[in-house]
Amino acid sequence: MTSQGAAAEAAAPQRRSWGEAAAVYLRRDVLIVLFLGFSAGLPLALSGSTLLVWMAESSVNLSTIGLFALVGTPYTIKFLWAPVVDALDIPILCRLFGRRRGWLLFSQILLMAAIIFLGLQNPDVSPFMIAVGAVLVAVASATQDIVIDTYRVEKLDTSEQAAGVGSYVAAYRVGMLVSTAGALFIVSFFEKVQGFDKATAWTFGYIVMAAFVLVGMVTTLVAHEPERSKIAETALKGTDQLSRVWSAATGAFTEFLTRDAALAILAFVILFKLCDAFVGAMTGPFVIRGMGYSREEYAAIVKGLGLAATLAGGFAGGFVARGLDLRTSMWLAALLQMGSNLVFALQAVMPASYGMLAFVIVAENFTGAIGTVIFVAYLSSLCQSPLHTATQYALLSALSAVGRTYISAPAGFVAAQTGWFWFFVLSVFTAIPSLILLWWLQRRGHFEALAKPAGPLAADD
């Protein structure tokens, strides 16, 4: 074999067998991410839906209860303090455990304390203190999310990212289940079996939920610090803290914008999930108003079967991404998302039946979950500098929500003007801009560049 042929063979991406692809879920680092996913999913409902049930059982009026929706604000603006996570070290904890694990333990300690503080309050006595406790839980939880995302991005290689996301999402849902249905059953146990009054039962329920944070803390202790984090730690030595924060905040932008085709990449990030989001925004109205199903039927099929299909699709996405290269995985995800929209169009011209609706919902959620985990793996691969991984990923994930939140907003208008069948057919065409960008980025060697291991930090970093 010639030297050129040997070099080409060495440079070609290695194909893995499907057995090797499935085995990724048993890898130590992927299992660590799975347990961290449980830790991330646990607190969301404690400052959200579970808290609202507690409020509904109290004397707090409905107007005040409605305002508690604002408690979720920290989750939407967490990118604002992501540079602090990138730049600063937590005294003692970061020295003992490393930058990422030190921040993880710190956020988990805060989270446990915030949940206990919230549980010790009484909404009948002071709704304001309940609100304060809920905000503290949300801030600590959002901070933990930042660090978990950063840890996952830095610890897993590109071929493992989708499997990590699939595991994370599945465990996240389990964490939410524990803090919703699980928390309510625990409160009922303390009230009806142990004989505590309602306020005390809720307090003990939240204390039990705080104890579940230990799952994430133990996981953090047995985890290993990412090597990329150690490289950044060395690079940051000798710089003052204010300069670190400023560098993390600005460097996340400047480092990204100096890359080849940076603006095209950002446009692709915004548009890739638009096809999926366009239909997702109208799934509920189509099922209830368009097909005439009741809210109970909607809950059972869309939320019940849909959840199961989402979990299965998440694992399948990780399996596929491990077996295929990133470029091929992205094409597959894009085509599956388009195909699921056409399944909705088929339902729009067929008589209503539980079997067909179940098939449509399973197809949509399964393919959508595959697309999501592969897309998140792609976002993760874009964060290549350990000096500002947290900031870049938080910004990219916020940017990816633009298509879902804003560009898909006219979906209802289109459905009203065209009818359901043509709405779903036309929704497929919303994928064309992202497909053009995907083709163009592929031609420029974008995905091959991402597959290469991240090099040493640039001098200007």
Side-chain angles (χ1 to χ4, degrees):
M1 181 182 291
T2 65
S3 59
Q4 289 182 340
E9 182 177 337
Q14 294 183 344
R15 290 275 180 173
R16 297 178 177 85
S17 71
W18 291 113
E20 291 174 321
V24 68
Y25 287 106
L26 299 179
R27 292 177 63 88
R28 186 180 190 278
D29 292 335
V30 174
L31 290 174
I32 290 291
V33 170
L34 182 144
F35 282 101
L36 290 177
F38 174 87
S39 186
L42 180 73
L44 181 63
L46 298 179
S47 60
S49 59
T50 300
L51 179 63
L52 293 179
V53 173
W54 187 7
M55 296 298 98
E57 293 183 354
S58 71
S59 59
V60 178
N61 63 61
L62 290 178
S63 299
T64 302
I65 291 175
L67 293 175
F68 273 80
L70 298 174
V71 167
T73 300
Y75 292 101
T76 63
I77 61 171
K78 61 186 179 183
F79 63 87
L80 294 178
W81 66 91
V84 175
V85 175
D86 266 329
L88 302 186
D89 292 339
I90 302 298
I92 302 178
L93 290 178
C94 287
R95 178 166 54 84
L96 291 175
F97 302 105
R99 296 169 68 231
R100 302 312 184 193
R101 291 200 303 150
W103 264 102
L104 259 178
L105 280 174
F106 177 66
S107 64
Q108 288 160 350
I109 291 169
L110 289 181
L111 181 58
M112 180 179 287
I115 293 172
I116 293 174
F117 174 82
L118 175 57
L120 291 173
Q121 308 310 309
N122 189 332
D124 292 318
V125 176
S126 177
F128 174 76
M129 292 307 296
I130 287 283
V132 170
V135 169
L136 291 176
V137 170
V139 170
S141 175
T143 303
Q144 181 187 230
D145 289 350
I146 292 171
V147 192
I148 291 175
D149 284 335
T150 305
Y151 178 88
R152 175 183 53 77
V153 169
E154 293 184 345
K155 191 63 177 174
L156 304 182
D157 65 40
T158 300
S159 66
E160 296 173 326
Q161 287 292 342
V165 175
S167 299
Y168 175 90
V169 170
Y172 189 99
R173 298 278 187 171
V174 173
M176 287 186 63
L177 185 63
V178 168
S179 60
T180 49
L184 297 179
F185 280 122
I186 289 171
V187 171
S188 296
F189 170 79
F190 282 117
E191 183 181 7
K192 297 178 181 179
V193 178
Q194 297 298 317
F196 293 117
D197 62 83
K198 184 169 292 185
T200 304
W202 274 103
T203 294
F204 277 107
Y206 267 71
I207 290 174
V208 172
M209 289 298 106
F212 275 106
V213 178
L214 289 171
V215 173
M217 297 177 75
V218 171
T219 303
T220 302
L221 290 173
V222 301
H224 295 156
E225 184 73 4
E227 289 298 325
R228 290 171 63 186
S229 176
K230 297 177 183 178
I231 295 172
E233 187 175 2
T234 302
L236 290 171
K237 279 185 178 178
T239 57
D240 65 90
Q241 294 185 341
L242 185 60
S243 297
R244 285 185 178 191
V245 175
W246 176 253
S247 177
T250 58
F253 290 98
T254 56
E255 187 275 334
F256 193 94
L257 292 176
T258 55
R259 299 183 191 181
D260 178 57
L263 295 180
I265 295 170
L266 293 177
F268 180 64
V269 167
I270 293 173
L271 295 173
F272 182 75
K273 293 293 289 181
L274 177 59
C275 175
D276 197 39
F278 204 75
V279 166
M282 300 305 293
T283 298
F286 170 66
V287 173
I288 293 175
R289 185 176 296 183
M291 301 302 297
Y293 290 98
S294 68
R295 73 169 70 94
E296 291 80 10
E297 292 166 331
Y298 173 81
I301 296 178
V302 177
K303 297 303 182 182
L305 277 177
L307 173 59
T310 297
L311 297 181
F315 283 115
F319 177 75
V320 167
R322 181 69 174 174
L324 304 175
D325 58 82
L326 182 59
R327 175 192 61 196
T328 307
S329 298
M330 292 294 288
W331 276 108
L332 177 63
L335 295 175
L336 285 176
Q337 290 175 168
M338 295 171 65
S340 68
N341 289 15
L342 292 177
V343 176
F344 271 98
L346 180 62
Q347 168 67 100
V349 296
M350 292 181 64
S353 72
Y354 292 129
M356 184 61 189
L357 179 62
F359 171 73
V360 170
I361 295 303
V362 167
E364 196 272 338
N365 282 272
F366 184 78
T367 58
I370 291 176
T372 295
V373 298
I374 291 174
F375 181 57
V376 172
Y378 170 70
L379 294 183
S380 302
S381 70
L382 294 175
C383 304
Q384 298 187 328
S385 172
L387 291 178
H388 29 68
T389 304
T391 307
Q392 276 190 345
Y393 187 82
L395 287 169
L396 285 170
S397 59
L399 193 64
S400 68
V402 170
R404 180 179 69 248
T405 306
Y406 300 107
I407 303 179
S408 63
F413 175 79
V414 175
Q417 296 298 312
T418 63
W420 289 113
F421 172 77
W422 286 110
F423 166 75
F424 292 121
V425 171
L426 292 173
S427 70
V428 175
F429 291 93
T430 63
I432 291 179
S434 67
L435 292 180
I436 293 173
L437 287 168
L438 178 58
W439 171 81
W440 189 80
L441 290 170
Q442 176 184 322
R443 289 288 300 272
R444 291 183 72 90
H446 171 63
F447 297 100
E448 287 77 5
L450 291 180
K452 297 177 182 178
L457 295 174
D460 58 351
D461 284 339

